Structure formats: structure tokens, C-alpha cells
């Protein structure tokens, strides 16, 4: 028979009951834990146990629970749509968590609501584990398994809150195993769809421009942040720079998407000014790396592509060997450029010359690789 219990930190009676499989469960009755209310709470507990013994569906159980509370206590379980709860919860936590966390949660819920379609305006308790699983698998197919797992973790926060507020009887993310991750944490390139998501999220900031430069030149984060207008030859349609890591002089022809983007930027009056003033100044102030990487990492977290780093100071204090390698980072743009050109059939030696890779293959090429050859190779890259 069902029984009652009061948690020391709760003001309500808790129903303790057993399912048909012999599993013991607990659920708040939302009835204030006073002796005069014991019989009312006990009836709710008995109804819950009866429902589980009969193996009713979660929706039938929730309906029965709501009707019993309305009958014996004069109130029912509150109802809300998926969209209403997600929107309201985002507003509620704005003062409790960082803006980056709110942005990451918003990115996950926006994707989920779009996938639900008209069901997003249905009651939240109708969302099942099957819904979340199908959504996760769709995201994994379009983006990456790690991204899909991170989005599910973000959604779990919302459904846990909905359960705490009494809107759902169970959390549909619970019991859903994470998709298999690579055994080693290594960098990978972005997919085209991921790049479009990043550029959209970064719109209105210098990072949107940096992503395009990163993809269409294959150069490193610090070098592009410090890029000056004197390094851009619009007449020849080239970007010329000396890499900070190896001191290699790199000449990269601008493909059409990058050239169009450069022409849309404001150059200012000083020819030696940074192409990206804010990030250029930050690169100089921080000696090039940690702060830029952190900002881009936060951008990826807002897109749902990475977990949010909550302890930046500790992370930045580590040495390069100690710092964990993230699957996606700004360096992934370099991987993307190389992979996309190789997949398009561009000879490896040409690709290496474009991105400035020092290799035995390049050193064995005694004649200079013609600019038009490289321009043809870069034209194979997709428009983002």
C-alpha cells in the first residue's frame, strides 16, 4: 500500500508507491504536509500506485493525478506548452547564470522547438523520450554526435525545471544514453552546416569575419587577428602575411566569397590598421592566444557545439600540453579548408602551400606554385 513521507527540505507530503514491476517511487503530492491534510495526500498516493499497477501510460497517469488533485484538493496540475515553458524559463534564469550560458540554452531550445514544429505549442508533458531521441539523432546526422549530446544535456536542464514545477511527471532525457564519442579527443573540421550556424550566431561581430578569413585562407587564429590592411592587396586579389609560428611568408589568393566580404568591410584611414580592430588589440594585449580562444569557444558553446567553459582562469593558466584539445576550435577552420580542398581533388602540395604547412613535399617542389593554381583550388571551397 502507498505511504506518505515528508522530505526535511520540502513543505509537501511525498507519495511513496510501488509500480507493477516492483520498483519503488516517490512523487510530491503538492499537498502541504500538515496532519489535517494527511488523508487528502494519502488518496493521491493511493491513486498513483493504482495507476502504475495498471501500467497506464505517462500521459494517463498525469491526467489521473491532475483529476485526483482537483477533486480532493480543489486544484489541478498546472499546464503549459513547450514553447511557453522554454521561453519563460530562459527569462527566469537570466539573472542566475552567465549570458553565455543563456545563449547556449537558447540555441538548444530554438533547435528543438523548430524540430517539434506544431507540437511545440502542445502541452510540455506530451514530449516523450522518443521525441528527444529522434531529435538528437537528426542533429547528430547533420552536425556531429558531440554536438547532439551537448544539446540534449542543455534540454535536460529545462525538463528538470519543468518537473520541479509540476508540469511533467518524468524527464524525457533521462535514460537516454549519449551517442558514442571518439576514443581520443582530437580536432576535426567543421561541416558546412556547422559553419553557417557559427556565422549566423556571430553576425554583427568581428568573429563572423574571422570565420570567413579562417576558412578561405586556412591561417591561424593569432595571425588573422593581427592581420592589417597592408597585408591585403585588392588589386592582385591576395592576402599576404608572415606566419607567427614558423615565420613563413604566405600568399593566399582571395576566392570570390572572401573578396566580396573584404570589399564590404570598412578599411578606415590608416593603411596599417587592423582588419579586425577589437580582436587585433586583444591579440596584442594577451600575446595572441588564450583570450581569443576563450571568446571563440564561448561562441561555439552558444551554437551548442561545445560545452561552456566555466573556469576560464584555470584553463588559461595551463600549459599548451596540459590543456585539453577540443574537437572544435578556431583551428578547425584550418582543418576544414584542407579537407574540403583535398576532397575536391586539389593536389596535397598545392593545399600545403596555401595554408603554409612546412613539409618535405613542399620543400621538394623547386618551382613556385602559380597564384592561379592556388586561386583555382580555393574556388572549390563552398560559400558560407
Amino acid at each position: 500500500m502507498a505511504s506518505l513521507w515528508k522530505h526535511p527540505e520540502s513543505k509537501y507530503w511525498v507519495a511513496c508507491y510501488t509500480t507493477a514491476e516492483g520498483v519503488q517511487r516517490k512523487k510530491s503530492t503538492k499537498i502541504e504536509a500538515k496532519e489535517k491534510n494527511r488523508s487528502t495526500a494519502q488518496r493521491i498516493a493511493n491513486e498513483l500506485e493504482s495507476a502504475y499497477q495498471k501500467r497506464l501510460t505517462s500521459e494517463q497517469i498525469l491526467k489521473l493525478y491532475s483529476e485526483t488533485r482537483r477533486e480532493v484538493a480543489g486544484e489541478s496540475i498546472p499546464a503549459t506548452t513547450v514553447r511557453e515553458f522554454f521561453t519563460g524559463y530562459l527569462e527566469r534564469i537570466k539573472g542566475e547564470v552567465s549570458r553565455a550560458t543563456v545563449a547556449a540554452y537558447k540555441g538548444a531550445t530554438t533547435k528543438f522547438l523548430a524540430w517539434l514544429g506544431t507540437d511545440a505549442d502542445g502541452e510540455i508533458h506530451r514530449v516523450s523520450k522518443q521525441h528527444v531521441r529522434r531529435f538528437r539523432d537528426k542533429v547528430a546526422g547533420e552536425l556531429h554526435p558531440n554536438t547532439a549530446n551537448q544539446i540534449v544535456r542543455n534540454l535536460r536542464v529545462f525538463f528538470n525545471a519543468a518537473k520541479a514545477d509540476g508540469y511533467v511527471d518524468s524527464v524525457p532525457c533521462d535514460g537516454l544514453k549519449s551517442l558514442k564519442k571518439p576514443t581520443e579527443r582530437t580536432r576535426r573540421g567543421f561541416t558546412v552546416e556547422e559553419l553557417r550556424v557559427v556565422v549566423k550566431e556571430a553576425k554583427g561581430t568581428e568573429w563572423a569575419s574571422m570565420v570567413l578569413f579562417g576558412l578561405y585562407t586556412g591561417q591561424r587564429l593569432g595571425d588573422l587577428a593581427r592581420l592589417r590592411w597592408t597585408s591585403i592587396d585588392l588589386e592582385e586579389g591576395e592576402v599576404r602575411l608572415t606566419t607567427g609560428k614558423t615565420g613563413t611568408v604566405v600568399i593566399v589568393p582571395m576566392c570570390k566569397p572572401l573578396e566580396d566580404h573584404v570589399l564590404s568591410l570598412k578599411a578606415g584611414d590608416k593603411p596599417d590598421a587592423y582588419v579586425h580592430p577589437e580582436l587585433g588589440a586583444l591579440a596584442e594585449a594577451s600575446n595572441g592566444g588564450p583570450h581569443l580562444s576563450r571568446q571563440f569557444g564561448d561562441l561555439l558553446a552558444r551554437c551548442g557545439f561545445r560545452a561552456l567553459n566555466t573556469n576560464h582562469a584555470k584553463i588559461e593558466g595551463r600549459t599548451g600540453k596540459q590543456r585539453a584539445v577540443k574537437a572544435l576550435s578556431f583551428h578547425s577552420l584550418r582543418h576544414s579548408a584542407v579537407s574540403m580542398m583535398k576532397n575536391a581533388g586539389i593536389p596535397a602540395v598545392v593545399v600545403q602551400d596555401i595554408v603554409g604547412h612546412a613539409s618535405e613535399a613542399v620543400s621538394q617542389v623547386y618551382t613556385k606554385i602559380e597564384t592561379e593554381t592556388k586561386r583555382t583550388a580555393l574556388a572549390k571551397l563552398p560559400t558560407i
Side-chain angles (χ1 to χ4, degrees):
M1 180 178 176
S3 60
L4 297 176
W5 171 69
K6 182 187 178 302
H7 191 283
E9 297 180 1
S10 175
K11 65 178 182 178
Y12 300 119
W13 288 115
V14 175
C16 305
Y17 54 94
T18 305
T19 68
E21 293 77 19
V23 178
Q24 293 185 336
R25 292 196 175 187
K26 294 178 181 178
K27 180 175 180 62
S28 174
T29 64
K30 299 297 182 181
I31 301 297
E32 195 170 354
K34 294 181 179 180
E35 194 60 34
K36 65 178 182 179
N37 297 332
R38 179 180 286 273
S39 61
T40 299
Q42 183 64 54
R43 179 171 174 183
I44 292 176
N46 292 341
E47 292 285 0
L48 278 170
E49 183 167 74
S50 175
Y52 276 95
Q53 292 286 343
K54 295 176 182 177
R55 289 188 171 90
L56 300 183
T57 65
S58 60
E59 186 173 334
Q60 289 172 324
I61 290 172
L62 191 66
K63 182 179 180 182
L64 177 63
Y65 180 39
S66 180
E67 290 175 348
T68 302
R69 282 188 57 195
R70 181 166 54 245
E71 179 184 344
V72 301
E75 59 180 22
S76 60
I77 296 176
T80 185
T81 68
V82 186
R83 192 186 309 279
E84 287 171 347
F85 185 82
F86 281 11
T87 303
Y89 187 70
L90 278 172
E91 287 296 321
R92 189 198 312 178
I93 63 173
K94 278 186 176 179
E96 302 172 0
V97 298
S98 69
R99 286 187 297 176
T101 299
V102 172
Y105 288 166
K106 185 177 181 181
T109 57
T110 299
K111 289 182 178 67
F112 187 56
L113 292 173
W115 180 83
L116 282 175
T118 57
D119 288 342
D121 296 307
E123 293 185 2
I124 193 170
H125 71 81
R126 296 181 183 276
V127 177
S128 66
K129 185 183 297 185
Q130 287 69 35
H131 282 112
V132 178
R133 179 184 288 110
R134 290 199 299 270
F135 168 67
R136 180 204 63 185
D137 293 346
K138 180 177 184 295
V139 172
E142 294 177 350
L143 301 177
H144 192 272
N146 289 347
T147 299
N149 291 336
Q150 182 58 43
I151 288 176
V152 171
R153 285 193 288 271
N154 290 339
L155 290 178
R156 182 177 281 109
V157 173
F158 286 79
F159 284 109
N160 279 332
K163 183 178 180 181
D165 289 350
Y167 290 113
V168 299
D169 185 53
S170 60
V171 176
C173 304
D174 288 350
L176 195 64
K177 294 183 179 180
S178 295
L179 295 172
K180 187 176 180 180
K181 301 178 182 179
T183 54
E184 295 183 3
R185 299 196 66 179
T186 56
R187 289 191 181 97
R188 66 174 178 85
F190 288 94
T191 66
V192 174
E193 183 58 34
E194 285 172 337
L195 286 169
R196 287 172 178 155
V197 172
V198 174
V199 171
K200 182 178 179 180
E201 178 63 33
K203 187 176 181 179
T205 72
E206 291 181 356
W207 281 113
S209 176
M210 285 282 287
V211 169
L212 296 179
F213 270 94
L215 176 65
Y216 294 126
T217 68
Q219 302 307 306
R220 296 179 178 88
L221 174 58
D223 292 333
L224 290 178
R226 294 191 185 92
L227 188 68
R228 299 178 186 272
W229 283 104
T230 49
S231 297
I232 295 180
D233 188 334
L234 291 174
E235 186 173 341
E236 295 294 330
E238 297 174 344
V239 176
R240 303 174 183 177
L241 56 85
T242 301
T243 63
K245 184 176 182 179
T246 64
T248 304
V249 176
V250 178
I251 301 176
V252 184
M254 288 188 285
C255 57
K256 187 66 165 56
L258 182 58
E259 186 175 19
D260 290 343
H261 172 66
V262 169
L263 291 173
S264 73
L265 297 175
K266 294 182 180 179
D269 299 327
K270 298 180 179 179
D272 64 340
Y274 290 120
V275 176
H276 307 105
E278 293 181 10
L279 297 180
L282 183 60
E284 293 297 342
S286 66
N287 195 27
H291 296 300
L292 290 170
S293 296
R294 184 192 72 190
Q295 280 196 15
F296 191 71
D298 287 348
L299 170 61
L300 294 182
R302 294 198 300 273
C303 296
F305 297 158
R306 257 174 57 173
L308 186 69
N309 282 331
T310 56
N311 194 348
H312 295 309
K314 184 177 180 181
I315 292 169
E316 290 173 7
R318 299 175 185 171
T319 65
K321 291 183 179 180
Q322 292 172 323
R323 188 180 301 118
V325 175
K326 302 292 186 182
L328 284 177
S329 65
F330 193 88
H331 201 82
S332 297
L333 294 166
R334 190 171 171 86
H335 286 255
S336 298
V338 170
S339 297
M340 290 175 183
M341 284 187 284
K342 286 184 175 179
N343 289 339
I346 305 303
V349 67
V350 177
V351 176
Q352 289 171 330
D353 185 84
I354 290 172
V355 300
H357 273 161
S359 70
E360 183 180 353
V362 172
S363 66
Q364 290 176 350
V365 178
Y366 297 101
T367 57
K368 179 182 176 182
I369 295 176
E370 295 296 332
T371 298
E372 285 308 311
T373 301
K374 293 190 286 186
R375 196 182 302 278
T376 300
L378 288 163
K380 302 288 186 180
L381 293 174
T383 299
I384 302 302

